[in-house]
């Protein structure tokens, strides 16, 4: 899928979003180049393929990039290229987001590293955006200490890979004065017995432990166990498949290289890694990789807050939450934030479902002034104006600008609006009897059916999660966000109902299949997330 970001959008965002960094004295990343390809300009050497289009890309971008030598400020670049400083700023924001430039560092302040490794950190350092310059990644590694333990040949091979970029000590070696150290243990059938004692030591000393399990045909890089925020090793490996046999000698360097890559990514933050939250199972023949999240088992005495017997494996819901969890800030991928400014994701906020074949029922304008002042105290009779106000605040659009930006009354993840509202009416004095979908962009109802729904409440609000829409941006994380959106919408609806003195009750148990069948929706694409009855 093509991800398109415009210089205008990212430049405007850089002025108000502190998570977007624009280098003050930009320098071209080592190992990358721009080249003309027909009417477009191609970026070679970056972590992913990039194409720049448009008149400025053809005529002015190369001139600006040539002037980025790491010493010139935006004003100086503007003077040197004849461009307006505002154009320089938004162009540099796009170049940073695309992996072309980084913060310049004077030669005297650059660490002494091989040219190849410096190029590696610079060229791929755009993968996470955590480092303003390759020198920051190098400094992170210089201050890091890694202890290797477990299977001797694998530990020795990993030490050879890591020794030139960070401090490596063998099992039991003394850490530096500040005490920061990552412990890497290579588990095989022959070394497994020593893992338990090492884990206990790491827990006492509050040190993170990376377990690497190697077998005859696969290697598991992970779990990463940190007493501050991860499940314990027992929970993280519960239900794990066995890896029979010892790793073959010819695979030692491959396993060590895989581990070294992820350790460098974890410590230097210059390249992508599945750590610290997931474990990766890598086939040693095909390199096919699958990922596994870890979660605490209920009742675990080491990492669970619940009491009672320890469950044999974590429940499915906990594993899903772990699989989509956001890591602690020091491990966060800041560059992932740029997805908010991709054109396809911006368009999502103004894409709406319309139900074009269904009859429309216009709603009265939402009178939000009724929500000012003290809440009503006398029980109110439900009518169409109440319904219109409740739907508008919980699910509706507050404002739409000419450039496509949408403002909503209630918070929505990514401003997408994944919560859909359906009304099941049984009282003709409120709305026509039947099922209605709220069409938020028109502030109207689309009547899906005139058949009376089961139940006895005059009006039932059904909130569903529009997964097809939200997963286009967030993937599997979208389910969690859609449920949060439904919770926000439901909270807003309850606040409105309470302020208007309407009688309402939250339904805590419903039949998904019956509701889905009645509304004509798919439980897998649009699950029911909440139900509220209004009287």
């Amino acid at each position: 899928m093509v991800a398109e970001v415009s210089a205008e959008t990212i430049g405007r965002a850089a002025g108000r979003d502190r998570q977007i960094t624009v280098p003050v004295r930009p320098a071209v990343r080592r190992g990358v180049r721009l080249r003309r390809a027909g009417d477009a300009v191609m970026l070679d050497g970056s972590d992913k393929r990039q194409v720049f289009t448009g008149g400025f890309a053809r005529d002015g971008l190369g001139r600006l990039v040539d002037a980025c030598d790491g010493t010139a400020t935006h004003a100086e670049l503007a003077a040197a290229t004849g461009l307006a400083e505002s154009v320089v700023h938004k162009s540099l924001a796009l170049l940073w987001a695309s992996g072309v430039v980084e913060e310049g560092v004077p030669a005297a302040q650059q660490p002494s590293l091989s040219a190849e490794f410096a190029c590696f950190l610079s060229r791929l350092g755009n993968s996470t955006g955590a480092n303003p310059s390759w020198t920051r990644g190098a400094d992170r590694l210089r201050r890091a200490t890694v202890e290797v333990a477990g299977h001797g040949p694998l530990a020795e091979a990993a030490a050879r890979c890591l020794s030139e970029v960070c401090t490596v000590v063998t099992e039991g070696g003394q850490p530096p004065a500040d005490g920061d150290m990552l412990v890497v243990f290579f588990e095989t059938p022959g070394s497994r017995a020593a893992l338990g004692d090492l884990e206990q030591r790491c827990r006492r000393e509050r040190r993170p432990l990376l377990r690497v399990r190697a077998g005859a045909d696969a290697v598991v890089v992970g779990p990463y166990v940190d007493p501050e925020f991860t499940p314990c090793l027992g929970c993280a490996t519960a239900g794990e498949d066995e890896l029979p046999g010892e790793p073959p000698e010819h695979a030692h360097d491959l396993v060590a290289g895989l581990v070294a890559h992820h350790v460098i990514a974890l410590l230097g933050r210059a390249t992508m890694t599945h750590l610290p939250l997931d474990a990766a199972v890598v086939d040693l023949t095909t390199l096919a990789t699958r990922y596994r999240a870890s979660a605490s088992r209920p009742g675990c005495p080491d990492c669970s807050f619940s009491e009672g017997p320890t469950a044999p494996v974590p429940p499915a819901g906990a594993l899903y939450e772990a699989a989509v969890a956001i890591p602690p800030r020091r491990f966060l991928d800041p560059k992932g934030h740029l997805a908010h400014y991709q054109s396809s994701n911006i368009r999502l906020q103004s894409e709406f479902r319309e139900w074009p074949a269904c009859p429309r029922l216009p709603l009265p304008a939402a009178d939000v002034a009724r929500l000012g002042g003290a809440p009503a105290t006398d029980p109110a009779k439900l009518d169409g104006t109440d319904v219109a106000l409740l739907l508008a605040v919980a699910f509706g659009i507050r404002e739409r600008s000419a450039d496509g930006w949408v403002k909503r009354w209630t918070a929505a993840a990514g401003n997408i609006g994944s919560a859909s509202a359906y009304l099941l009416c049984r009282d003709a004095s409120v709305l026509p009897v039947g099922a209605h979908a709220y069409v938020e962009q028109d502030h109207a109802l689309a009547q899906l059916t005139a058949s009376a729904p089961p139940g006895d409440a005059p009006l039932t609000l059904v909130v569903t999660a529009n997964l097809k829409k939200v997963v286009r941006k967030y993937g599997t994380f979208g389910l969690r966000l859609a449920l949060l959106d439904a919770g926000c919408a439901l909270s807003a609806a309850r606040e409105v109902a309470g302020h208007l003195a309407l009688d309402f009750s939250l339904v805590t148990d419903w039949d998904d299949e019956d509701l889905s069948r009645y509304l004509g929706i798919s439980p897998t694409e649009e699950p029911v997330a909440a139900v509220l009855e209004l009287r």
Side-chain angles (χ1 to χ4, degrees), residues 371 390 393-395 409-411 486-498:
L371 300 177
L390 184 147
V393 171
F395 305 94
W409 288 101
T410 297
C488 288
L490 187 67
S491 296
R494 295 170 71 182
E495 288 292 324
V496 172

Side-chain angles (χ1 to χ4, degrees), residues 348-350 405-408 410 412-417 469 473-474:
L348 276 178
Q349 62 182 286
S350 56
W405 288 93
V406 173
K407 290 185 178 180
R408 303 174 187 274
T410 297
N415 199 27
I416 290 176
K469 185 178 184 183
K473 177 177 179 180
Y474 290 106

